[in-house]
Amino acid sequence: MTNHVANRAVILEQLRRELVGEDPAGAPLDADKPIVFSTWEEYRRPYHEKEGGGEILADQTPTQRYGVGVLFPFSALREEEATVMEDASGLVNTEEVAQQEADMTIGVQTANPKNIAAASDDASADLDLRPANAYQPSSMAISFLMDTEGVAVVRIEATGGRYIPKTALIQEHGKKSSERELWVRKPVTFTVEVSTEELLGVGSRQVMVSPAGKPGTRVISNNTEGLNLSIEVFSRPHLGSSQRLLTVCLVNRTAAEHRVSRNASSLFQSHFKVTVARADGSGAVLPYPVPEHVGDDEQTGLDMMYHSIPVFATGHGCAADWPEAASADAALWVSAECLPVVSLPPITPTILDEDGKEITVSMADLCGLQPDDHGWSTLEDLIARYERWIDLRSQEAEAVGFPQKYKRAASLNLEECKKAARRMRRGLAYLEEDSLAIKAFRLANEAIMRQQVGSRYARRPVFHDRIENRIRVGGHFEAPDALPVHLGQGEWRPFQIAFLLSSVESAGNLASSDHELVDLIWFPTGGGKTEAYLGLAAYSMFLRRLRDPYDAGVTVLMRYTLRLLTTQQFERASSLICAMERIRSSDTKALGEDAFSIGIWLG
């Protein structure tokens, strides 16, 4: 059995090696001795360091090889960015960062985004985050909220790699020798422990620590010689006296002007982790303050949906991460990630009834191929179940314990659900009242089912007829039967048929109050979006033909931006058109003599 989790881990590791590094490979090479190659081919082979196994790059510089997780020296900034930095003694600009964090104090400092800066004992302690977002960033940072009660130190562990140039000699027989550069990776570690006392006090506090150390801090560093690295902690008060908003930054302040020194002075595979532990070992990183989005119902609605999933940090020039098993109250650590990875829980379109049976709607019933069932009872039951679900959610929203600030958002969301239910009811009534609409609906169901059944047949070979200079299809054509339907085919998932029911009236009735609405259907890959919108497309095309058999104009426009997706979707749309054409050819009086067709525009 295929282990998708293991395969995913392999893909992620290869992606990290490709984008971030390091990627040691090949034969071992003693980089401490003179390096001589007898051929150019030998020079270009992959190698790793004999002692330590570090990566060795040949034929390209480290900055050519990697572009993610690199902290460039300060002088690598563009000229205008360097000019801005000349007057800055630190890293974070309160105009940009403190704005959001002032708002997040939930009413204490929302009036003036400069309050945090004004509270600082030293105005020069303002930090500038522009180097973190530059084309060639020299810093990365994360902000989080900590409870200082019972915390003695904040531990920051930074890691990365630097590449040391090494001259290699290519000495081919009978030819003039040539010198070339190799780049040997050395691991860099930089660990700092900052006492909590240094971060406390009235107003803001800033602690800047280099590998050389600072009074009140413990520093352990390795392979940092020649690199002007610093860890900078910017602390601001928040609400209670024991809470502080911290921004921790890793900065490469090394000066380097030309290509070789810039490669040698950059920090690669940059990463750092901040651990905030109490004496009993529990975490003291609190959920990051969420701003009040007053007047923004959409953002408040999103906050409501995810309010039970806390965010513990935010990144500047990088992503923030924390333990997957962190409680809702506190986390033990947060980290700065240049290539963030997260495992999302699967979202399934499956809905089960009270007996644990999957709820589906048969296309065969809806298109009239089952003489004993026209499928209407299933549609009624589906809408009724959705309405009961809305009532249950409404009761939960009114229950004690639901956050008061989200009750308006919950009410608005439920009102949208009720609108969807009413549209589904109206769509069902419209089909019952309009004889052409119900016929188009049945034909659309039959077309989608024939498309699904036909997709299991082996593809016929396609070849170019050189004599007639045209594309021909070989093999024997076998007309697909609509029945019997195989497992997993010929059934609508609840969200698919719900989308159809809510759209049939507005798509068929030009006077509908919902005719100007633009409906967005979203579901993760593999959920069945394509069948849903192709079903609506088939319904619209059939309805136009049934109302006017001579109406053979353009009904549906499809646009895709990804080439592979375009090819796949074009194939599926083409197979639907083939199924619709088979239906049309059997009833040309009602559906017209003009064939259903599909075209592609390459622009």
Side-chain angles (χ1 to χ4, degrees), residues 285-333:
V285 179
L286 305 179
Y288 202 67
V290 178
E292 294 281 0
H293 296 99
V294 179
D296 190 342
D297 291 331
E298 181 179 359
Q299 185 60 52
T300 304
L302 291 173
D303 292 342
M304 177 203 66
M305 286 192 291
Y306 299 104
H307 76 276
S308 61
I309 305 174
V311 172
F312 287 102
T314 183
H316 312 287
C318 62
D321 196 13
W322 49 86
E324 187 175 345
S327 70
D329 301 322
L332 180 61
W333 56 263

Side-chain angles (χ1 to χ4, degrees), residues 143-156:
S143 294
F144 59 93
L145 178 66
M146 70 171 285
D147 184 2
T148 60
E149 194 71 35
V151 178
V153 296
V154 175
R155 182 179 175 85
I156 304 140

Side-chain angles (χ1 to χ4, degrees), residues 20-34:
V20 183
E22 64 175 314
D23 188 17
L29 188 67
D30 191 346
D32 293 330
K33 297 180 179 179

